[in-house]
Amino acid sequence: MLLAKQPSLDGAPLPPEDELMKDEVSQTVNEGPIGTGSANATLQCEVEQLVAKADKFDGVIVDPICLPKDVPTFVTRLHSSLANWKSKQKKGVWLKLPTENANLVPSAIEAGFTYHHAEPQYVMLTYWIPDSPCTLPPNASHQVGIGAFVLNKKGEILAVQEKNGPLKGLGIWKFPTGLVNQAEDIFAGAIREVKEETGIDAEFVQVLGFRQGHHVAFEKSDLFFVCILRPLSSEIVVQESELEAAKWMPLDEFTTQPFYRQRRMMRKMVEICIASSKGIYKGFSPIELDTDPRMRSSVFYCSTL
């Protein structure tokens, strides 16, 4: 069984979180090489420009640890830094402002920075220096969800009724579904959702297919992966905060619901799941592989040879 690990994006242009939150800075764009001791880090915070480091794409990542607290000092150092980075032909600037520095946001916007994305602990702003189209990567464009087809040896499917959402109160039985968490693998998200919603322990088998939809959540797109899992337990414990009910349901009874007969997309998903359970359709199995010996391994989904 695979263990969930945080995926790595080799060569991704978006600065990783550890680069944006390091307590030690070995080299700054403004000052050149500086030692990594705490005394040197303090000195860096006292310079007349913002402490920053170069990224791999001729850009700049501002160190959020050394941001000045007061607005006038921030504005002075920001404008001085922008002039310096422009003279050095730098391109994109990443400015991460933690919650405690939220008072600096209006000044950064006034200086020409734009919003990139936000998380509960910070807002990310960017600035494009060259007089050319900006090539910084946009914010995440998709959310990722899973649907779990779990069939026991009796030919019964694990079916649930939603307490919330568009199917609330309609009496429709469906797969367990849910969103994959940040830094969570698809197979791990499917196992977790089944366990959380129904109390059933399950083993991931394959990804059978996926659907891409657009303008799903706040104008973002959606990737929905249909997965097949093998149950390892049988006693259902309903997640009452999310579900009205859950049960093992005869497959014929499940597939004859009008909801599936009237919707081609849902019907196709069910057909693929049934074909896989009969061994006449092959999906994609997870294989843990190294993309680079220096980086953590990630999961590749493929049809086995």
Side-chain angles (χ1 to χ4, degrees):
M1 186 64 196
L2 290 171
L3 297 177
K5 293 185 178 181
Q6 183 171 340
S8 60
L9 297 177
D10 188 16
L14 187 64
E17 292 300 305
D18 55 354
E19 287 192 16
L20 295 164
M21 291 302 292
K22 283 182 178 177
D23 293 327
E24 300 179 346
V25 181
S26 60
Q27 184 176 5
T28 69
V29 175
N30 302 322
E31 294 298 307
I34 297 180
T36 57
S38 59
N40 285 325
T42 301
L43 288 173
Q44 291 182 62
C45 294
E46 295 174 352
V47 298
E48 294 306 314
Q49 295 182 359
L50 298 176
V51 178
K53 63 178 294 184
D55 63 22
K56 298 177 181 178
F57 302 89
D58 295 324
V60 178
I61 302 172
V62 177
D63 186 349
I65 302 299
C66 290
L67 286 169
K69 300 297 182 183
D70 62 290
V71 174
T73 302
F74 171 73
V75 171
T76 299
R77 294 184 181 180
L78 179 62
H79 285 284
S80 177
S81 298
L82 287 172
N84 180 42
W85 297 330
K86 187 173 183 178
S87 71
K88 293 183 178 180
Q89 297 184 323
K90 294 298 177 182
K91 296 180 179 177
V93 181
W94 297 91
L95 176 62
K96 182 177 184 177
L97 296 179
T99 303
E100 58 268 26
N101 297 108
N103 62 317
L104 306 180
V105 171
S107 298
I109 296 295
E110 187 175 348
F113 280 78
T114 57
Y115 293 109
H116 187 271
H117 68 274
E119 295 290 345
Q121 302 84 12
Y122 69 86
V123 60
M124 180 70 78
L125 305 176
T126 60
Y127 185 96
W128 185 249
I129 296 175
D131 293 326
S132 61
C134 177
T135 60
L136 291 176
N139 185 24
S141 60
H142 287 67
Q143 67 178 15
V144 179
I146 61 92
F149 179 82
V150 186
L151 192 69
N152 64 19
K153 294 181 179 179
K154 299 178 182 179
E156 298 170 325
I157 185 174
L158 183 61
V160 302
Q161 286 186 341
E162 291 185 343
K163 178 174 287 187
N164 308 296
L167 301 183
K168 174 183 177 181
L170 298 181
I172 296 170
W173 293 95
K174 57 182 280 291
F175 301 161
T177 59
L179 294 177
V180 176
N181 292 331
Q182 182 171 325
E184 182 179 42
D185 289 304
I186 293 170
F187 76 87
I191 293 171
R192 175 186 53 78
E193 283 291 344
V194 170
K195 179 67 173 179
E196 286 180 355
E197 290 193 354
T198 68
I200 296 296
D201 294 311
E203 177 184 11
F204 186 89
V205 180
Q206 290 179 334
V207 169
L208 300 181
F210 67 93
R211 180 222 63 205
Q212 183 181 29
H214 302 292
H215 306 291
V216 175
F218 300 101
E219 301 305 310
K220 299 296 184 181
S221 298
D222 175 84
L223 289 173
F224 181 78
F225 289 84
V226 180
C227 308
I228 185 168
L229 290 81
R230 183 179 299 111
L232 301 177
S233 62
S234 59
E235 184 178 354
I236 292 176
V237 179
V238 176
Q239 185 182 28
E240 295 183 355
S241 61
E242 297 288 334
L243 302 180
E244 284 289 351
K247 69 177 181 178
W248 291 106
M249 186 176 190
L251 186 56
D252 289 344
E253 182 181 343
F254 182 89
T255 58
T256 55
Q257 294 181 91
F259 177 76
Y260 294 98
R261 292 203 312 266
Q262 297 168 2
R263 290 166 173 79
R264 294 174 58 193
M265 177 72 74
M266 302 304 299
R267 188 167 69 249
K268 174 57 69 174
M269 290 182 183
V270 173
E271 289 173 354
I272 291 297
C273 291
I274 294 173
S276 176
S277 69
K278 294 179 179 180
I280 57 177
Y281 176 86
K282 200 169 188 178
F284 300 97
S285 301
I287 302 176
E288 192 170 353
L289 299 170
D290 290 327
T291 55
D292 187 309
R294 300 166 297 176
M295 304 180 71
R296 286 169 290 192
S297 61
S298 56
V299 178
F300 179 64
Y301 295 84
C302 63
S303 181
T304 55
L305 298 175

